[in-house]
Amino acid sequence: MLTIKNFIFNPFQENTYVISDDSGKCIVLDPGCYFENEQVELKNYIKQNNLTPEYIVYTHGHVDHIIGTEFLKKEFGIKAIMHKDDMDILHNSSEFAASIGLDMEQPSDPELHISENEKINFGNIDFITYHAPGHSPGSIILHYPEENILFSGDVLFRKGIGRSDLGGGDHDTLIRSIKTKILPLDENTEVYTGHGESTTVFEEKHENPFLV
């Protein structure tokens, strides 16, 4: 059974998730810890719950979702996973961060790349990943069908969708990703988003003004 801890980090109020199971293994999804108190909060949660981080996983490469990468790598010595199509965004991240007033250490390249219908395993959990471009070229979503759980990154929000006006974004592609990768899932699926509150597939299928 999954245990999901949500942290709201950095000036963009980004959702960072620590996802663990009964084995004590965990992944850190979208490490957005920027300020020192955020880094301490994340580290303390992991250590106080005797968790062993297996991977950092990025749903995409935008600054607010990766800014805590080097802190975590130095603290826990773990590898990062992302889709290769967001590598250009990652490589430009420290320069972009400086342009908006953030002091960010350039993240090292991820050690692993993930693609459509591949699995991310930790403990007794297998997440299925789907490539869902539109917000960024390499956006992925993580599905755990055994418990009807989905992590959507910035592809889908509660009654909203991700931006498509950033570099590599495309509105039509984003809508197609949502309609082909998310909406066909079990309507009871809980969707944990990159910003804001969680939602369900049912709610977004029937009430999201961008999709109805």
Side-chain angles (χ1 to χ4, degrees), residues 39-93:
Q39 296 172 350
V40 170
E41 183 182 8
L42 181 58
K43 178 180 71 174
N44 286 349
Y45 174 81
I46 292 171
K47 291 190 172 182
Q48 289 169 5
N49 287 278
N50 297 312
L51 299 178
T52 302
E54 295 280 282
Y55 301 108
I56 298 166
V57 181
Y58 308 126
T59 59
H60 62 293
H62 289 150
V63 165
D64 51 329
H65 292 256
I66 66 171
I67 203 165
T69 295
E70 291 309 300
F71 166 76
L72 277 178
K73 284 192 171 185
K74 291 172 183 175
E75 191 68 38
F76 296 104
I78 50 178
K79 297 178 180 179
I81 301 174
M82 76 178 299
H83 194 282
K84 62 180 177 58
D85 288 355
D86 265 13
M87 288 297 291
D88 285 346
I89 293 174
L90 181 77
H91 288 158
N92 293 323
S93 57

Side-chain angles (χ1 to χ4, degrees), residues 34-208:
Y34 175 63
F35 300 107
E36 183 178 358
N37 66 297
E38 296 174 344
Q39 296 172 350
V40 170
E41 183 182 8
L42 181 58
K43 178 180 71 174
N44 286 349
Y45 174 81
I46 292 171
K47 291 190 172 182
Q48 289 169 5
N49 287 278
N50 297 312
L51 299 178
T52 302
E54 295 280 282
Y55 301 108
I56 298 166
V57 181
Y58 308 126
T59 59
H60 62 293
H62 289 150
V63 165
D64 51 329
H65 292 256
I66 66 171
I67 203 165
T69 295
E70 291 309 300
F71 166 76
L72 277 178
K73 284 192 171 185
K74 291 172 183 175
E75 191 68 38
F76 296 104
I78 50 178
K79 297 178 180 179
I81 301 174
M82 76 178 299
H83 194 282
K84 62 180 177 58
D85 288 355
D86 265 13
M87 288 297 291
D88 285 346
I89 293 174
L90 181 77
H91 288 158
N92 293 323
S93 57
S94 61
E95 182 179 346
F96 178 79
S99 74
I100 58 174
L102 299 178
D103 181 16
M104 173 186 177
E105 183 177 358
Q106 174 63 39
S108 55
D109 282 359
E111 289 77 10
L112 301 166
H113 288 138
I114 197 77
S115 299
E116 177 75 7
N117 281 323
E118 291 189 350
K119 292 182 178 180
I120 296 174
N121 171 265
F122 65 98
N124 301 310
I125 303 300
D126 282 318
F127 274 120
I128 303 170
T129 62
Y130 306 131
H131 184 208
H135 175 64
S136 73
S139 287
I140 62 169
I141 54 181
L142 279 68
H143 186 209
Y144 187 54
E146 287 81 355
E147 296 183 24
N148 283 335
I149 289 172
L150 182 80
F151 294 89
S152 67
D154 286 2
V155 173
L156 179 68
F157 301 128
R158 184 172 183 269
K159 297 185 180 180
I161 60 174
R163 292 178 61 174
S164 56
D165 59 339
L166 303 172
D170 180 80
H171 178 79
D172 291 341
T173 302
L174 177 63
I175 296 298
R176 184 164 57 252
S177 289
I178 295 170
K179 289 187 174 181
T180 60
K181 302 295 176 68
I182 298 179
L183 297 190
L185 299 177
D186 189 309
E187 290 191 343
N188 294 315
T189 299
E190 185 84 8
V191 181
Y192 292 87
T193 60
H195 301 266
E197 301 174 87
S198 63
T199 183
T200 65
V201 169
F202 177 86
E203 183 174 355
E204 300 316 306
K205 184 182 289 187
H206 297 283
E207 299 179 16
N208 190 316

